[in-house]
């Protein structure tokens, strides 16, 4: 149940959509497997494999976006299209034009899609209507945008916004590295990426390396900015903070997982215990992180 990444968004504190209505609106975009001519499909699936689209526990909600994508390599389409273009030239005495080549590629794609392999994946989304958080277990902003797109099509209103802080993560991380002091409740770990501005964007990466030496400060003085920094919060959760305010490589303290396993009587109970522990810990982590970044920029 433990999330590995966080794309962090805000929902308004006065967002009072009832659970039953929320679930009903999600049902407008149920996941359907790809048809023979579909390249991809996205929609909501049950987080627990039952008939409920929302898993609700202690006023915390969990939803899951399912997706299917046909794997049709561009090189395969190109090769087949070139072969058909060669036959066209032999029969007609001239090469197909740009429009004809596009039609050939489209025809090849339509014919090959039904035979293409499919890749299935699911992405969990945690909503905290109490504290106004919406967090996706997604490693990329592009994946988060897909989820926002489906949410927008599902809900009558989707008042969702990116978390914005007074200090940019890059500026804050640079200050922590330069001063050698992490904000209260956090410690700087041993992984970091620094990148220069400009066309070359020279990049330096440190892995399992002490980050409190003069070498790091020299890079900062030369104008490089942190784009990734490993941190630990209250000796309970370690993660990578990025300059885009993404949280990656989440790792929860082993004792939290061990306690959950000891308390659980079965898999369903284990899932609920882990969900409760995870959301409780992440709520406090996000609050402290926002404070470390100078507070939140309020929406107009």
């Amino acid at each position: 149940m433990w999330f590995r990444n966080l794309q962090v968004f805000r929902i308004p504190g006065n967002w009072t959509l009832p659970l039953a209505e929320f679930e009903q609106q999600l049902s407008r975009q149920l996941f359907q497997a790809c048809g023979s001519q579909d390249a991809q499909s996205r929609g909501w699936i049950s987080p627990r494999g039952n008939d409920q689209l929302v898993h609700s526990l202690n006023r915390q909600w969990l939803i899951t976006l399912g997706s299917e994508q046909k794997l049709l390599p561009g090189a395969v389409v190109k090769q087949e299209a070139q072969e058909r273009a060669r036959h066209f030239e032999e029969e007609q005495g001239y090469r197909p034009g740009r429009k004809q080549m596009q039609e050939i590629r489209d025809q090849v794609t339509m014919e090959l899609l039904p035979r293409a392999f499919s890749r299935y994946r699911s992405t969990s989304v945690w909503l905290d209507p109490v504290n106004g958080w919406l967090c996706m277990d997604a490693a990329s902003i592009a994946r988060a945008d897909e989820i926002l797109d489906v949410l927008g099509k599902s809900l009558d209103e989707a008042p969702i916004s990116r978390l914005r802080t007074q200090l940019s993560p890059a500026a804050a991380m640079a200050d922590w590295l330069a001063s050698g002091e992490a904000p209260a409740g956090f410690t700087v770990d041993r992984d970091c990426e620094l990148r220069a501005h400009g066309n070359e964007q020279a990049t330096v990466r440190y892995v399992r390396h002490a980050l409190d030496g003069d070498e790091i400060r020299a890079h900062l003085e030369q104008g490089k900015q942190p784009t990734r920094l490993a941190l630990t919060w209250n000796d309970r959760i370690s993660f990578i903070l990025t300059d885009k305010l993404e949280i990656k490589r989440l790792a929860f303290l082993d004792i939290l997982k061990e306690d959950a396993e000891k308390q659980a009587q079965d898999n369903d109970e284990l899932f609920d215990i882990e969900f409760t522990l995870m959301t409780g810990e992440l709520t406090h982590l996000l609050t402290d992180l926002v404070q470390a970044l100078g507070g939140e920029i309020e929406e107009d």
Side-chain angles (χ1 to χ4, degrees), residues 31 43-47 63-68 119-125 137-138 143 147:
F31 173 75
W44 304 111
I45 61 176
S46 169
I63 61 177
T64 302
L65 184 75
S67 66
E68 177 187 3
R119 178 178 66 183
Y120 299 88
R121 62 178 176 176
S122 61
T123 306
S124 296
V125 183
D137 188 6
R143 181 60 174 164
I147 296 170

Side-chain angles (χ1 to χ4, degrees), residues 14-45:
N14 60 357
W15 194 57
T16 57
L17 185 65
L19 174 61
E21 188 173 343
F22 178 63
E23 186 164 20
Q24 187 276 327
Q25 291 185 24
L26 289 184
S27 67
R28 300 169 180 171
Q29 296 289 326
L30 293 176
F31 173 75
Q32 301 288 338
C34 286
S36 62
Q37 297 302 315
D38 296 327
Q40 64 178 7
S41 177
R42 296 193 295 263
W44 304 111
I45 61 176

Side-chain angles (χ1 to χ4, degrees), residues 48-65:
R48 300 296 294 131
N50 51 31
D51 59 354
Q52 296 179 330
L53 291 178
V54 184
H55 184 72
S56 175
L57 187 66
N58 300 323
R59 302 176 70 189
Q60 305 295 304
W61 299 353
L62 182 71
I63 61 177
T64 302
L65 184 75

Side-chain angles (χ1 to χ4, degrees), residues 168-178 220 226-229 231 241-243 293:
S168 72
M173 291 188 291
D175 181 63
W176 303 338
L177 288 170
L220 295 172
T227 56
R228 298 165 64 92
L229 181 64
L231 298 165
L241 177 65
T242 79
D243 57 340
L293 294 174

Side-chain angles (χ1 to χ4, degrees), residues 155-208:
L155 304 178
D156 291 338
E157 292 184 80
I160 302 167
S161 59
R162 267 274 177 190
L163 172 65
R164 298 191 301 158
T165 54
Q166 298 289 342
L167 293 176
S168 72
M173 291 188 291
D175 181 63
W176 303 338
L177 288 170
S179 65
E181 294 183 7
F186 294 85
T187 55
V188 173
D189 294 336
R190 295 163 57 86
D191 287 17
C192 178
E193 179 180 276
L194 301 164
R195 182 174 297 165
H197 295 292
N199 295 331
E200 293 187 358
Q201 292 190 330
T203 303
V204 179
R205 295 185 180 90
Y206 293 91
V207 180
R208 295 187 292 277

Side-chain angles (χ1 to χ4, degrees), residues 35-39 70 72 77 80-81 84 102-116:
S36 62
Q37 297 302 315
D38 296 327
K70 293 288 186 69
L72 186 57
V77 175
E80 179 62 22
R84 295 190 187 189
Q102 184 59 52
E103 291 175 350
I104 291 173
R105 284 192 289 268
D106 290 345
Q107 182 65 30
V108 169
T109 299
M110 289 181 62
E111 292 178 9
L112 294 182
L113 269 177
R115 293 182 282 160

Side-chain angles (χ1 to χ4, degrees), residues 88-281:
F88 179 95
E89 184 176 0
E90 290 176 352
E91 294 173 358
Q92 302 298 326
Y94 61 92
R95 294 181 179 179
R98 180 178 298 177
K99 182 178 179 180
Q100 289 170 313
M101 276 303 303
Q102 184 59 52
E103 291 175 350
I104 291 173
R105 284 192 289 268
D106 290 345
Q107 182 65 30
V108 169
T109 299
M110 289 181 62
E111 292 178 9
L112 294 182
L113 269 177
R115 293 182 282 160
F117 289 104
S118 291
R119 178 178 66 183
Y120 299 88
R121 62 178 176 176
S122 61
T123 306
S124 296
V125 183
W126 158 50
L127 294 93
D128 178 359
V130 178
N131 298 292
W133 296 112
L134 186 151
C135 298
M136 308 169 183
D137 188 6
S140 70
I141 292 176
R143 181 60 174 164
D145 287 342
E146 292 178 6
I147 296 170
L148 289 178
D149 179 61
V150 182
L151 271 173
K153 294 175 180 177
S154 304
L155 304 178
D156 291 338
E157 292 184 80
I160 302 167
S161 59
R162 267 274 177 190
L163 172 65
R164 298 191 301 158
T165 54
Q166 298 289 342
L167 293 176
S168 72
M173 291 188 291
D175 181 63
W176 303 338
L177 288 170
S179 65
E181 294 183 7
F186 294 85
T187 55
V188 173
D189 294 336
R190 295 163 57 86
D191 287 17
C192 178
E193 179 180 276
L194 301 164
R195 182 174 297 165
H197 295 292
N199 295 331
E200 293 187 358
Q201 292 190 330
T203 303
V204 179
R205 295 185 180 90
Y206 293 91
V207 180
R208 295 187 292 277
H209 190 286
L211 302 179
D212 55 356
D214 293 337
E215 183 180 350
I216 300 293
R217 297 187 183 91
H219 284 301
L220 295 172
E221 291 171 359
Q222 292 167 10
K224 293 186 180 70
Q225 287 288 306
T227 56
R228 298 165 64 92
L229 181 64
L231 298 165
T232 294
W233 172 74
N234 282 344
D235 295 326
R236 300 176 72 80
I237 302 175
S238 63
F239 61 97
I240 298 287
L241 177 65
T242 79
D243 57 340
K244 296 181 176 62
L245 199 43
E246 301 168 284
I247 296 176
K248 300 191 173 186
R249 280 170 41 187
L250 271 170
F252 294 81
L253 189 68
D254 287 341
I255 194 170
L256 290 174
K257 298 181 178 181
E258 292 170 0
D259 285 347
E261 291 172 358
K262 290 177 181 178
Q263 296 177 46
Q265 300 297 317
D266 52 41
N267 288 336
D268 288 339
E269 192 170 286
L270 177 61
F271 187 94
D272 284 347
I273 292 172
E274 289 181 343
F275 182 56
T276 299
L277 288 173
M278 181 189 75
T279 54
E281 294 290 323

